[in-house]
Amino acid sequence: MLDDQLRAQLKQYLERLSRSVEITAYTDDGDRSKEMLSFLGELKSASDKITVSSGTDSDKRIPSFAIGTPDAEIHVEFAGIPLGHEFTSLVLALLQVGGVTPKLSEDTIAQIKAIDGTHKFETFFSLSCQNCPDVVQALNVMAVLNPNIEHVAIDGAFFQEEVETRQVMSVPAVFLNGEHFASGRMTVDELLAKMDTGAVEREAEKIKQKDPFDMLIVGGGPAGAAAAIYSARKGIRTGVVAERFGGQVMDTMDIENFISVPKTEGPKMGAALEQHVMEYDVDVMKLQKASKLVEGDEFLEVHLESGAALKAKSLVIATGARWRQMGVPGEEDYRNKGVAYCPHCDGPLFKGKRVAVIGGGNSGVEAAIDLAGIVAHVTLLEFDSKLRADAVLQRKLLSLPNVDVLTSAQTTEVFGDGQRVQGLKYKDRNTDEIHTVELEGVFVQIGLLPNSEWLKGTLDLTDRGEIIIDDRAQTSMRGVFAAGDVTTTPYKQIIIAMGGGSTAALSAFDHLMRSSAPDDAQQQAA
């Protein structure tokens, strides 16, 4: 099941185990159980500290396995075979159960260990989901550190009946003590903030006590990371405030046009961005969303939704963009109930079903091509009179037998039974006739919307909400610069965002130098 290279890498990683790891398998006579036992045999052969035995608990999912150690009470389980994106989650779990200290701050470890009560987490994932490993790994490490926390990671493809019963239509989907807890990518810090309701207030109080920054960057994506690095290298007091590090890159599957890197994945690049920034003296404040910009006499002020505020002499705004929504009746009602925005993450949950893709650009056509290999049928709807995707993608799409393409089609409504999507309605823009398409999933791929609402009335914005900047990244407010997808920069690409962030930081530094330099009258008086 594992190739020779992966076996060698696994064996090398598992040499770090400092205590015994006991794997308990729960199986039957089925093919999937046999496949999982073969996989566990390969894990066992990679380290003499790993043992594999059979369990008899009738409440366990079949096939599944638990990872524990005689040296501590730990509750970590995988239901299914964690390959694909989740193989890393498994390796990390083996290492952490085997005594390797997690790469978390002392404060975070202490916060996890202090959690009381019974917390039984279940996470449904798909092997093609790049958002799922963050959640699985976060909950696994919490279960390793605190015996009050249990976690089982469940491959939805292995347990389709349970997925249907529990109405899981988007991954990662997290349940706590049997009740839905969260959906979508979440880090350890985000999970802790959701579990520990006082964490937000405590962090806000810390932020309120911070001294003014020379340069404050709002946003932690490629543009924000580049700005932070260029700022820190100038030796000035630098801060980054962001909802999450990596930004929209974390939701990107394959990146194949970043010069000098033939191919990588969004989460890997996001982690590398954060690691690079952390090598410098940068104060990074995550899980914080900006709500207001105020121009003061001496400092710029960024107010946060948490109630805190930060002061700075110069500001770089790099808040990026998010997926644009259709804005039609039913879309929000059925979000994560059949309406989805990530075909790589949620596509496997619609295996054998009928779905629609909204949008005929590169993203929409790529999504339709990928989904066609999983679902029964794909209907692609494009508002324009023709598809806008690259010709090579259009040829591939039109060659697929289970895809219909509708152009001049304006989606007007998503409908369902209150629990899940049952179909959509669209208007033929040539005839104004309304049509109904019965289906079970709608994947929206219609472009991006800049995250600039908090700046309305403060900075000059375009009708689309983009921050207007000049060739030096200067905005309409003195000392405020902007970069990346939130701006009028015409091409929304990672490499362009990084260049924009660098330009913004250098321009902001130049502004600081000019602002602090004595004027001619002062020089003559001296």
Side-chain angles (χ1 to χ4, degrees):
M1 187 171 294
L2 303 179
D3 59 35
D4 292 340
Q5 182 179 1
L6 201 54
R7 287 193 192 95
Q9 291 175 343
L10 178 63
K11 187 171 184 178
Q12 184 177 1
Y13 280 124
L14 296 183
E15 287 176 355
R16 300 170 60 193
L17 297 177
S18 62
R19 63 187 183 190
S20 299
V21 174
E22 297 177 340
I23 297 178
T24 305
Y26 301 94
T27 61
D28 58 15
D29 295 328
D31 290 339
R32 283 182 167 176
S33 289
K34 294 175 182 177
E35 186 180 4
M36 190 190 78
L37 286 174
S38 174
F39 174 69
L40 295 181
E42 294 195 61
L43 298 183
K44 179 182 177 182
S45 65
S47 173
D48 57 8
K49 283 188 167 62
I50 295 178
T51 61
V52 178
S53 62
S54 297
T56 57
D57 191 335
S58 60
D59 292 331
K60 299 295 185 182
R61 295 173 178 83
I62 304 295
S64 67
F65 61 94
I67 305 174
T69 175
D71 301 324
E73 184 182 354
I74 292 174
H75 307 281
V76 173
E77 296 180 30
F78 287 91
I81 304 175
L83 291 169
H85 288 293
E86 293 303 339
F87 186 68
T88 300
S89 301
L90 170 62
V91 174
L92 286 173
L94 291 169
L95 291 172
Q96 291 160 2
V97 172
V100 177
T101 303
K103 292 182 178 180
L104 298 173
S105 69
E106 292 182 4
D107 288 346
T108 299
I109 291 175
Q111 189 178 357
I112 293 172
K113 289 183 176 180
I115 295 174
D116 290 325
T118 301
H119 296 81
K120 296 183 177 180
F121 284 102
E122 300 164 292
T123 301
F124 286 86
F125 66 85
S126 66
L127 295 181
S128 60
C129 170
Q130 76 271 22
N131 293 327
C132 296
D134 276 2
V135 177
V136 172
Q137 291 166 24
L139 289 171
N140 279 348
V141 75
M142 292 169 71
V144 169
L145 293 171
N146 188 330
N148 295 319
I149 299 174
E150 302 179 17
H151 181 228
V152 54
I154 307 160
D155 183 352
F158 266 55
F159 301 92
Q160 282 283 341
E161 185 175 342
E162 187 174 359
V163 165
E164 293 285 341
T165 301
R166 301 179 76 166
Q167 298 182 357
V168 176
M169 305 192 74
S170 176
V171 292
V174 182
F175 291 79
L176 173 58
N177 297 333
E179 300 294 329
H180 185 265
F181 177 74
S183 295
R185 177 192 297 276
M186 296 185 79
T187 62
V188 169
D189 292 335
E190 289 171 311
L191 287 163
L192 284 173
K194 192 172 178 65
M195 296 171 68
D196 181 0
T197 55
V200 174
E201 289 77 10
R202 292 195 300 272
E203 187 61 26
E205 287 302 316
K206 290 181 182 178
I207 290 175
K208 290 177 182 178
Q209 307 305 316
K210 293 182 182 292
D211 294 330
F213 292 93
D214 292 317
M215 193 183 302
L216 178 65
I217 295 98
V218 184
I229 291 168
Y230 270 75
S231 174
R233 287 176 63 86
K234 294 297 184 182
I236 62 177
R237 178 167 162 73
T238 303
V240 174
V241 60
E243 288 188 75
R244 62 171 178 167
F245 222 97
Q248 196 185 11
V249 164
M250 302 298 284
D251 301 323
T252 303
M253 186 65 174
D254 294 325
I255 299 171
E256 299 179 342
N257 58 347
F258 190 79
I259 312 306
S260 82
V261 180
K263 183 174 181 179
T264 187
E265 296 174 352
K268 290 182 180 179
M269 176 173 280
L273 289 174
E274 183 172 8
Q275 183 179 356
H276 195 176
V277 170
M278 297 305 289
E279 289 181 3
Y280 294 91
D281 187 14
V282 177
D283 188 345
V284 178
M285 296 154 280
K286 293 185 285 188
L287 305 184
Q288 300 295 327
K289 185 176 182 179
S291 61
K292 186 179 181 181
L293 171 61
V294 177
E295 185 178 19
D297 294 334
E298 185 178 3
F299 297 108
L300 298 158
E301 287 190 12
V302 175
H303 293 227
L304 307 176
E305 287 190 353
S306 64
L310 292 164
K311 294 182 179 181
K313 296 176 182 177
S314 66
L315 186 68
V316 174
I317 298 172
T319 45
R322 63 189 183 276
W323 290 116
R324 183 183 294 275
Q325 294 182 263
M326 296 182 291
V328 302
E331 179 181 17
E332 193 59 37
D333 295 335
Y334 290 99
R335 187 183 181 96
N336 296 329
K337 297 178 181 178
V339 175
Y341 300 85
C342 179
H344 297 294
C345 302
D346 301 330
L349 299 176
F350 293 84
K351 182 178 181 180
K353 298 179 180 180
R354 301 176 67 86
V355 304
V357 172
I358 313 300
N362 282 349
S363 295
V365 171
E366 287 174 350
I369 292 170
D370 290 342
L371 288 167
I374 301 171
V375 305
H377 187 271
V378 178
T379 301
L380 185 144
L381 294 90
E382 165 56 37
F383 181 86
D384 204 350
S385 60
K386 58 183 179 181
L387 299 181
R388 293 168 287 108
D390 294 341
V392 64
L393 294 174
Q394 292 191 43
R395 287 195 295 271
K396 174 65 176 176
L397 178 74
L398 297 174
S399 72
L400 300 174
N402 61 334
V403 175
D404 288 334
V405 176
L406 303 175
T407 56
S408 298
Q410 179 181 353
T411 305
T412 57
E413 181 185 353
V414 176
F415 63 87
D417 61 3
Q419 298 297 321
R420 59 182 64 198
V421 166
Q422 292 181 320
L424 62 77
K425 295 182 180 180
Y426 74 92
K427 181 176 73 173
D428 184 327
R429 297 178 58 240
N430 295 319
T431 65
D432 288 339
E433 186 176 355
I434 300 296
H435 299 270
T436 298
V437 181
E438 294 184 357
L439 41 75
E440 292 150 296
V442 179
F443 290 84
V444 183
Q445 302 281 290
I446 55 174
L448 302 173
L449 193 66
N451 295 317
S452 61
E453 290 85 356
W454 62 289
L455 297 167
K456 288 181 179 179
T458 306
L459 298 181
D460 289 347
L461 309 175
T462 67
D463 292 340
R464 294 187 64 251
E466 295 174 324
I467 301 172
I468 298 172
I469 59 172
D470 63 17
D471 57 358
R472 296 176 63 85
Q474 172 71 59
T475 71
S476 58
M477 183 180 290
R478 186 173 183 271
V480 179
F481 303 82
D485 289 1
V486 73
T487 73
T488 48
T489 299
Y491 303 109
K492 313 305 185 186
Q493 298 288 313
I494 293 170
I495 197 165
I496 293 174
M498 286 182 173
S502 306
T503 298
L506 292 172
S507 295
F509 180 74
D510 184 62
H511 161 76
L512 290 174
M513 294 302 98
R514 293 176 183 273
S515 299
S516 61
D519 58 29
D520 291 341
Q522 289 176 317
Q523 288 179 340
Q524 291 173 3

